[in-house]
Amino acid sequence: MEISTLAMYHCLAFVWYFFIAYSIAHIRTEERPSEVFLYGGQWKYLTVLNLVLQAVFYGVSFLADVLRLIKKLRCAKCIISIRDLLFSVLAFPVSTFVSISFWTLYTYNRELVYPKSLDGVIPLWLNHAMHTAVLPFALLEILALPHRYPAKKKGLILLGFVAFLYISWVLWIYSVTGEWVYPLFTLFSPFGLAAFFATSLAIIVSFYNFGEFLNRMIWGQSKFCL
């Protein structure tokens, strides 16, 4: 794909994710259903954190494209390294996890992750923007250009560290409020919850490996050329 075309795509994707994140962040608190507590705001939900992550990723990608267009290759090389690390370790596996896990649980019992009362607050298009569109965007990014993946050990350590931070955040919120971020967690004993978190981590690691596999199958061992 031509650099100018990539720049336009990454710019539009950045604007889209910024708009979605802004829309979610500015839902009026008085409209929230009674089962949605205020502590932590929107930032306790992995879906919303993923929207911010995607906006950051596409913003960095757009900056890399612009630097390449104006021939600032030394700066572009540094930004491209950041872009590829963000995509491989976080943007692809997290967006894939959010989409697939949400719709799997929603199909099983939506009250566990997205109570019906939210339909009156979050319109259908916004729900799909948060939970559906993130997956094709991630796949399109792999098709659009190759990304350098870090050494497997480094990549998995970084992904595991970020997962640990989010789990710690969820547990902290529960320790302060006595409420779980997702109703699903109320079904588990402490041991069951630990097993659920471990299984979720294994799934997101599999998505990391899947992204690396797709990148290699489509682009081989090619390096990104400036």
Side-chain angles (χ1 to χ4, degrees):
M1 191 180 290
E2 294 292 330
I3 299 176
S4 57
T5 305
L6 278 174
M8 183 177 297
Y9 163 65
H10 286 143
C11 180
L12 291 174
F14 167 74
V15 171
W16 167 254
Y17 275 113
F18 183 87
F19 168 70
I20 298 303
Y22 179 87
S23 299
I24 288 295
H26 285 77
I27 291 176
R28 291 186 300 230
T29 57
E30 61 267 21
E31 294 180 349
R32 66 184 175 87
S34 58
E35 59 265 42
V36 178
F37 57 94
L38 287 176
Y39 190 86
Q42 305 288 357
W43 314 112
K44 58 180 172 285
Y45 299 112
L46 184 60
T47 293
V48 177
L49 294 175
N50 180 56
L51 294 175
V52 176
L53 167 64
Q54 301 302 321
V56 170
F57 165 71
Y58 282 106
V60 170
S61 298
F62 176 60
L63 176 59
D65 297 334
V66 170
L67 290 172
R68 292 175 69 204
L69 283 170
I70 63 176
K71 307 301 182 183
K72 299 290 186 179
L73 301 185
R74 181 174 297 180
C75 293
K77 185 176 181 180
C78 178
I79 299 301
I80 286 171
S81 296
I82 297 172
R83 178 204 68 190
D84 288 348
L85 190 65
L86 275 174
F87 180 77
S88 60
V89 175
L90 294 177
F92 182 85
V94 173
S95 60
T96 305
F97 178 81
V98 164
S99 183
I100 292 179
S101 62
F102 174 83
W103 288 113
T104 299
L105 292 168
Y106 184 98
T107 301
Y108 173 71
N109 182 355
R110 66 170 297 177
E111 295 299 319
L112 296 177
V113 289
Y114 193 84
K116 191 172 179 58
S117 56
L118 287 174
D119 290 345
V121 179
I122 300 176
L124 182 62
W125 71 268
L126 188 52
N127 181 21
H128 282 293
M130 294 188 296
H131 299 115
T132 307
V134 292
L135 182 54
F137 263 107
L139 294 172
L140 182 57
E141 179 66 21
I142 283 186
L143 293 172
L145 73 162
H147 297 82
R148 292 191 188 99
Y149 271 67
K152 181 63 69 69
K153 182 178 180 180
K154 177 183 177 182
L156 293 181
I157 287 175
L158 288 173
L159 178 59
F161 178 69
V162 173
F164 172 78
L165 288 180
Y166 180 68
I167 292 171
S168 298
W169 173 227
V170 168
L171 294 176
W172 170 259
I173 290 173
Y174 178 75
S175 72
V176 172
T177 67
E179 300 281 350
W180 287 112
V181 171
Y182 296 104
L184 170 68
F185 296 159
T186 62
L187 302 179
F188 297 113
S189 65
F191 177 78
L193 191 62
F196 176 83
F197 286 146
T199 301
S200 297
L201 180 58
I203 292 172
I204 202 170
V205 166
S206 72
F207 290 146
Y208 172 93
N209 290 328
F210 180 61
E212 185 178 32
F213 169 78
L214 286 180
N215 188 72
R216 186 172 62 250
M217 288 298 100
I218 295 169
W219 300 103
Q221 299 299 327
S222 61
K223 300 295 185 181
F224 193 91
C225 297
L226 294 177

